[in-house]
Amino acid sequence: QVQLQESGPGLVKPSETLSLTCTVSGGSISSYYWSWIRQPPGKGLEWIGYIYYSGSTNYNPSLRSRVTISVDTSKNQFSLKLSSVTAADTAVYYCARHRGIYDSSGYYDDAFDIWGQGTMVTVSS
Amino acid sequence: AIRMTQSPSSFSASTGDRVTITCRASEGISSYLAWYQQKPGKAPKLLIYAASTLQSRVPSRFSGSGSGTDFTLTISCLQSEDFATYYCQQYSTYPRTFGQGTKVEIK
């Protein structure tokens, strides 16, 4: 059973770079899309961006200038870097898998079917 | 970006009730819609994709319908474990966007 686990510092200073890693266990990182999603305390979900196992990426325009997502297939990991952080970046950060495939009934499935438990990142001096 | 609007934002219900949550997209998204359930302190859990396809191992009391811009999530007989916040999400275009959430509370 595929599981995802986020890791990284829980506290980041303003103007610095937030760095998180998601480790995929129980399956291969290949052939799927892998996203980062965040949720500020008490608020809704915001998609940050994805990386395909081949390395292609797509970022939310609202964060594009500050976001980099990378993949290391040899370690079955993908990572998020968010630069120039402010208090507004304080959130629980989730990694998630999406398949981007047509299921056996012909329906397109690109929903986030597997999620990590999430990691709280606070931006504060 | 496509805006997803859920209604209501919250409501109270009793165990055994039939409940419906609505999600409206700011433009047509065909059937590229998913529903998630989130409990406090936990990651969201996928319930439905392609607007009406039940994810594996999700109870059949959950159902989804709709296409284009208007969608609904129905829980046919609310159970105690269903009190949670529900989100819709479109995957028609990038950036992927979520509704603001609907919190189902115990009456």
Side-chain angles (χ1 to χ4, degrees):
Chain A
Q1 179 176 344
V2 176
Q3 293 184 311
L4 308 183
Q5 178 68 57
E6 304 90 350
S7 59
L11 181 64
V12 181
K13 290 182 168 55
S15 79
E16 295 190 343
T17 296
L18 177 161
S19 296
L20 297 174
T21 295
C22 182
T23 301
V24 180
S25 60
S28 174
I29 202 169
S30 298
S31 303
Y32 292 106
Y33 297 83
W34 305 92
S35 273
W36 287 97
I37 297 160
R38 69 182 183 178
Q39 185 172 37
K43 296 188 178 181
L45 299 158
E46 179 181 33
W47 176 76
I48 298 170
Y50 82 69
I51 190 161
Y52 191 48
Y53 77 101
S54 62
S56 62
T57 56
N58 191 317
Y59 301 139
N60 193 321
S62 67
L63 297 168
R64 182 175 290 145
S65 64
R66 300 193 291 130
V67 172
T68 302
I69 299 176
S70 59
V71 65
D72 186 336
T73 54
S74 67
K75 295 182 178 179
N76 242 26
Q77 295 177 334
F78 63 105
S79 298
L80 167 71
K81 290 189 186 298
L82 181 65
S83 64
S84 305
V85 297
T86 69
D89 296 309
T90 294
V92 175
Y93 285 76
Y94 296 101
C95 56
R97 186 186 83 168
H98 43 128
R99 293 178 288 204
I101 60 170
Y102 286 89
D103 69 8
S104 57
S105 299
Y107 294 108
Y108 187 61
D109 174 14
D110 197 37
F112 301 109
D113 66 330
I114 300 176
W115 296 63
Q117 65 184 25
T119 187
M120 179 69 200
V121 178
T122 301
V123 178
S124 175
S125 56
Chain B
I2 295 176
R3 181 176 177 84
M4 307 300 292
T5 304
Q6 292 180 229
S7 59
S9 294
S10 66
F11 66 95
S12 300
S14 300
T15 303
D17 285 352
R18 178 183 179 89
V19 302
T20 298
I21 298 168
T22 297
C23 177
R24 174 165 288 176
S26 61
E27 59 188 83
I29 59 170
S30 185
S31 295
Y32 301 135
L33 184 101
W35 288 98
Y36 302 87
Q37 175 194 68
Q38 186 178 35
K39 296 182 179 179
K42 300 293 187 182
K45 172 188 173 184
L46 177 63
L47 299 175
I48 287 169
Y49 67 92
S52 61
T53 301
L54 211 59
Q55 174 70 347
S56 176
R57 292 188 296 275
V58 172
S60 60
R61 62 180 180 273
F62 291 93
S63 64
S65 65
S67 67
T69 59
D70 294 309
F71 302 85
T72 59
L73 172 69
T74 299
I75 310 172
S76 61
C77 183
L78 201 64
Q79 302 298 300
S80 57
E81 60 266 33
D82 301 335
F83 291 97
T85 299
Y86 294 84
Y87 293 92
C88 62
Q89 177 242 328
Q90 65 81 19
Y91 54 89
S92 174
T93 64
Y94 284 100
R96 302 305 197 220
T97 49
F98 294 83
Q100 82 280 13
T102 295
K103 187 173 184 179
V104 180
E105 299 176 298
I106 301 173
K107 184 181 287 184

